[in-house]
Amino acid sequence: MPHTYAFRQVDVFATGPLTGNPVAVVHDADDLDDAQMAAFARWTNLSETTFLLRPTTPDADYRLRIWTPGGELPFAGHPTLGTAHAWLEAGGVPRSAEQVVQECGVGLVTVRRDTDASGDRLAFAAPPLRRSGPVAPENLAQLARGLRVSVADIEDAAWVDNGPGWVAARLRDAAAVLAVEPDLAAFGGLKIGVVGTYAPGESDAAVEVRAFVPDIGVAEDPVTGSLNAGLGQWLAGGLLPASYVASQGTALGRRGRVLVRRDAAGEVWVGGAAVTTIAGTVTL
């Protein structure tokens, strides 16, 4: 028998109306099974659809399941921020006044209000990398084939996997990132992030980022929290300042902005705006 659920669609990392990455959020979804979640995620055809559930640990405020059109993810960044925003907006009261604790496939993720910005801006603590370090030559060659660049065009590459499986390539500059026309058939299951720097004064952002994940049904993701978290763990405080802004979505006609900051303790925080664009009910 179909049931009706509260529903929100939240624009995350936006700089104005409809400029970020939307996430579909279904509230109080404990009675939905995997097949129903997967079907709804395919139907929305967004990069991610999330389902809010009761937590299984007293340390969490809620539990989250995250689905793409191609399957479930243990963690994703813009769904984390968008769902935290939706939960708070719907009247959720966190155990701590300073932060929200999310339970998901990678464990517990802390989300807090960004005290350096307006109240509708949230930031999550980047989860530990499941895989890091240099990329093997065969993977580097596959990266180059997938991005339709030469191996020599890749200035550096690293695994920055915090759950989804990210491997990242750093190109010469932001213009080289925006010029990429990938061969998605050559990815072979890789989930590839690309990053390149802007020259001082060229942009309000330090870097341009793109994310390609064709094997989960998302050719290019508009703005990607998990990838920017991994990039921050790789580059913030080294090649890039400890605090910087990443631009993403330019190639898709979006204007996403992601705030990345490595704090004094070495923890990386990824933040951005979250605004509800659709609120109502869904019958599943």
Side-chain angles (χ1 to χ4, degrees), residues 26 73 100 128 173 181 220:
V26 180
L73 293 177
V100 175
D173 54 24
E181 296 182 358
E220 180 168 358

Side-chain angles (χ1 to χ4, degrees), residues 1-273:
M1 191 77 176
H3 290 135
T4 298
Y5 304 84
F7 172 82
R8 282 173 169 78
Q9 191 159 305
V10 182
D11 200 16
V12 184
F13 298 126
T15 54
L18 311 180
T19 57
N21 196 0
V23 59
V25 183
V26 180
H27 296 257
D28 301 316
D30 294 271
D31 61 342
L32 290 175
D33 61 27
D34 288 9
Q36 289 171 303
M37 292 183 186
F40 188 58
R42 290 193 298 270
W43 185 83
T44 68
N45 202 34
L46 297 175
S47 54
E48 281 100 2
T49 298
T50 67
F51 300 87
L52 273 162
L53 313 167
R54 290 186 297 273
T56 63
T57 168
D59 297 324
D61 293 301
Y62 57 79
R63 183 162 66 98
L64 189 64
R65 295 187 66 181
I66 305 166
W67 292 78
T68 75
E72 188 172 10
L73 293 177
F75 172 74
H78 100 272
T80 292
L81 296 186
T83 305
H85 169 86
W87 183 78
L88 290 166
E89 188 177 71
V93 178
R95 288 165 171 77
S96 166
E98 289 81 31
Q99 63 189 31
V100 175
V101 178
Q102 169 183 293
E103 178 187 356
C104 59
V106 295
L108 300 180
V109 176
T110 300
V111 181
R112 69 186 185 195
R113 295 188 186 279
D114 189 340
T115 55
D116 296 329
S118 62
D120 64 350
R121 198 177 299 277
L122 300 170
F124 68 84
L129 293 178
R130 293 182 166 188
R131 185 177 186 182
S132 60
V135 176
E138 61 270 20
N139 292 130
L140 191 63
Q142 190 175 356
L143 267 173
R145 287 195 300 273
L147 297 174
R148 287 196 174 109
V149 300
S150 71
V151 170
D153 289 328
I154 298 176
E155 305 267 309
D156 199 1
W159 291 98
V160 292
D161 177 21
N162 48 25
W166 294 112
V167 60
R170 181 168 64 83
L171 302 186
R172 178 185 67 256
D173 54 24
V177 171
L178 290 171
V180 167
E181 296 182 358
D183 178 4
L184 299 178
F187 274 43
L190 288 180
K191 297 170 179 65
I192 299 176
V194 193
V195 60
T197 54
Y198 281 103
E202 187 180 4
S203 170
D204 64 326
V207 293
E208 185 69 33
V209 173
R210 295 178 72 183
F212 305 102
V213 279
D215 69 322
I216 61 171
V218 182
E220 180 168 358
D221 192 42
V223 201
T224 317
S226 60
L227 172 60
N228 277 285
L231 292 174
Q233 287 164 304
W234 179 29
L235 301 174
L239 176 74
L240 295 177
S243 180
Y244 67 88
V245 176
S247 167
Q248 192 179 348
T250 307
L252 298 175
R254 310 287 178 89
R255 195 176 185 278
R257 292 295 184 272
V258 183
L259 284 66
V260 180
R261 179 169 56 88
R262 183 185 292 273
D263 65 20
E267 189 164 34
V268 171
W269 291 85
V270 178

